Amino acid sequence: MVLGTERRWSLLAVVSAGLLLITLDNSILYAALPTLVEDLGASSSESLWIINAYPVVMAGLLLGSGTLGDRVGHRRMFLTGLAVFGAASLAAAFSPSPETLIAARGLLAVGAASMMPATLALIRVTFDDERERNIAIAVWGSLAVVGSALGPIVSGLLLRSFWWGSVFIINVPVVVAAIVATVILAPPNDADSTKRWDLVSSLLALVALVGLVFAIKETAKTDPSPSVIALAVLATALGGWAFARRQRRLPYPLLDFTIFRNRAFLAGVLAAGFSLFAIAGIQLITTQRFQLVEEFTPLRAGLLVAAVALGALPTAMVGGAVLHRVGLLPLIAGGLALSTLGAVLILLNFDTSTGLLVTGLIVTGAGLGAAMSVASSAIIGNVPARRAGMASSVEEVSYEFGSLIAVALLGSLLTAVYTATVDLPAGAPDTARDSLDSALAVARQGTEPDTSLITAASEAFDGAYFAAMMVVVAALTVGTIVTGLLLRRHGPGSTLSAPTAPADHDTPDQEHQEHHAHQ
C-alpha cells in the first residue's frame, strides 16, 4: 500500500517517537544511577545489572521479534510493543528493590524488542523511493543518537524535582499518544502466515548473550572465579553454536547467515555496533566521572555528554541526503575515523580542559552521526522488502550488542582498575576499595570529609576512566579499518553494485521482484 506524502512522513514521526523511547531508556539511568544506588541500596553488581538487563534481554529477543513481525505484521508488533513498554514503565517506576527493578527493566526490554524492528520495517515498506527512504532512515538514525544523548539530560531534569521513578513514568504519555497515532496513520497490517517463528532460537541467543555478560563481568573482577568464567564461556559457546546450527536447519530461520555475504550490509551492521559501543561507553563513564569526581549534578553531567548529540544531528541529516552521491565509504569509514579523533581529544583532556573535552565530544558525535545514519541505509537497502523484519532485527541486535558490551566491559573495567590501583590512606576501611561510591560514602561519614581519601579515590577513578577511554579509542580504530576494507569498492547509493554482489545470490531488487511475481 502506497501512502500519501503527508501520511508517510507523519508515520515516520510516530515510529521515530517509539525509537526515541527505546534509546532513551538505554541511557536514562546513566545520570540517575548514583541516586538509584543510594535510594535502593543497590550493590555495584546490582547497579550494573539494572542497566544491563535492558540491552541483554532486548538483544536476545530482537532476532525473533523481527521474524515474528514478518509473520504477524509489523503494525501489530509495534502496537503490542508499545503496550508492554508502557506497562513495564509503570512497574519500573514503583519498584521497591533492586531485584524488582531489574525484572521490570527486563520486561521493558520485551516491549522494546517487540517494537524496535517494526519501526525500521515500517519505514522500509512505506518509503519506496530510495532517496526518500535514505532521508527517512537518516531521520530515524539521528533520533537514535538524540534519544541516547537525551537520556542523561531528561533524568537530570526530573531528578531535580521528582523521585527516581519519574524517569520511567515519563514514558507512559508518549506510549499512549503513539498508540493512538499508529492506529490512525499506519498502513494495514502486513502479516505473512507462511513465515515461521522459532522461540527456541530466541532463547538460545539469549543464553549466549547472558553468558557473555557474566563472563565479561566476572573476568573484570579483582578476584575472579575461574569456575564462574568457565561456566559463562561454556554457556556462550554452546548457546551460540546451537543457535547457528539451528538456523542452518530451519526452513524459516530467524537469521539467514547468507545476508552477511553482502559486504555493504556487513559494514552497516559493524558500523552500528561500533557506534553504539562508543556512544554508550562514553556517556556511561563520563556521567559517572563528572558526578562523582567533579561533583556535577545529574543535569549538568547530562548536558555535558549531550555534546555528542550536538555534533551528531547535522552530520546524520546531511549523510542521508548525500548518500546517493558519495556512497557509503566516506560516510561510514570516514565517520568512524572522525569519531576516533574526537575520542582521542576526550582521552587527553577530560581532566585538564573542559573546552577541549566538549570539542572532543562534539567531534566524536559528528563522526558517529554520519556513520549511524547511513549504516541503517546500508543494512535495510541491501535486503528485499520481504526480509525487512530480519534485516531490522540484525541492525537492532548490533545496536544493542554494542551498547551491552560497552556497559558490561567498560563498567566492569572502571571498577576493576579503580580497585586495583587505589592507594588508600592509613586508617581508611577496606570497603573504600570496592568503588568510588563506597569511598565517597566513607569519606563523608564524619563531621568533616576525609579529603585525603577523596583525593586518593578520585585519582584512582581518573586512571580507570583513562583506561576505559583507551578501549573506546581502540574499538573505533578497529571499526574504521574494517568498514573501510569492506566498502573499498562501493560506489554511490546505499545498495551494493552488481559486480560485488554474491554470485550465487540474487540482488535485493531481483529478490523483491521475484517475491511480487510469485504473489
Side-chain angles (χ1 to χ4, degrees), residues 69-279:
D70 288 335
R71 176 176 172 79
V72 306
H74 300 298
R75 170 187 168 125
R76 182 174 298 165
M77 285 294 289
F78 186 61
L79 289 170
T80 302
L82 282 170
V84 173
F85 197 87
S89 296
L90 288 173
F94 298 102
S95 296
S97 66
E99 294 82 5
T100 309
L101 181 55
I102 291 170
R105 289 277 288 170
L107 185 59
L108 268 169
V110 174
S114 299
M115 63 173 162
M116 198 166 188
T119 61
L120 197 53
L122 285 170
I123 292 174
R124 175 65 180 86
V125 299
T126 301
F127 290 88
D128 294 324
D129 179 75
E130 181 185 352
R131 184 176 179 183
E132 194 177 65
R133 185 173 66 240
N134 287 341
I135 295 173
I137 293 175
V139 173
W140 181 92
S142 65
L143 281 175
V145 180
V146 171
S148 185
L150 279 179
I153 298 176
V154 171
S155 62
L157 283 169
L158 291 171
L159 290 174
R160 294 181 69 183
S161 305
F162 306 102
W163 96 114
W164 60 264
S166 60
V167 302
F168 298 108
I169 288 289
I170 195 173
N171 294 335
V172 177
V174 181
V175 164
V176 173
I179 289 175
V180 173
T182 302
V183 170
I184 296 172
L185 295 170
N189 202 49
D190 54 342
D192 182 356
S193 59
T194 64
K195 295 293 178 69
R196 296 291 182 268
W197 177 60
D198 184 39
L199 177 61
V200 174
S201 293
S202 289
L203 295 177
L204 288 172
L206 191 59
V207 167
L209 286 169
V210 172
L212 179 62
V213 173
F214 267 106
I216 292 172
K217 287 167 65 66
E218 189 65 28
T219 303
K221 287 183 177 179
T222 308
D223 185 23
S225 168
S227 60
V228 172
I229 294 174
L231 286 173
V233 170
L234 182 63
T236 301
L238 289 178
W241 172 80
F243 174 82
R245 184 171 183 267
R246 188 173 180 84
Q247 302 318 293
R248 288 193 293 269
R249 299 174 64 181
L250 287 174
Y252 298 96
L254 295 189
L255 179 60
D256 182 356
F257 288 99
T258 61
I259 62 177
F260 290 98
R261 296 181 184 179
N262 185 302
R263 289 191 297 275
F265 177 91
L266 178 58
V269 171
L270 292 174
F274 280 114
S275 296
L276 256 293
F277 178 89
I279 289 176

Side-chain angles (χ1 to χ4, degrees), residues 451-492:
T451 55
S452 60
L453 176 55
I454 293 174
T455 299
S458 297
E459 288 177 353
F461 194 84
D462 274 354
Y465 182 93
F466 186 90
M469 276 304 305
M470 283 287 291
V471 174
V472 173
V473 170
L476 288 173
T477 302
V478 171
T480 300
I481 295 171
V482 172
T483 57
L485 291 173
L486 287 170
L487 296 171
R488 65 188 183 279
R489 297 176 183 174
H490 193 277

Side-chain angles (χ1 to χ4, degrees), residues 320-359:
V322 303
L323 174 58
H324 67 290
R325 293 181 181 176
V326 303
L328 294 171
L329 177 61
L331 292 169
I332 289 183
L336 290 175
L338 181 61
S339 67
T340 305
L341 294 177
V344 171
L345 267 178
I346 298 170
L347 176 71
L348 298 177
N349 298 284
F350 71 91
D351 59 347
T352 57
S353 171
T354 302
L356 289 175
L357 168 65
V358 171
T359 300

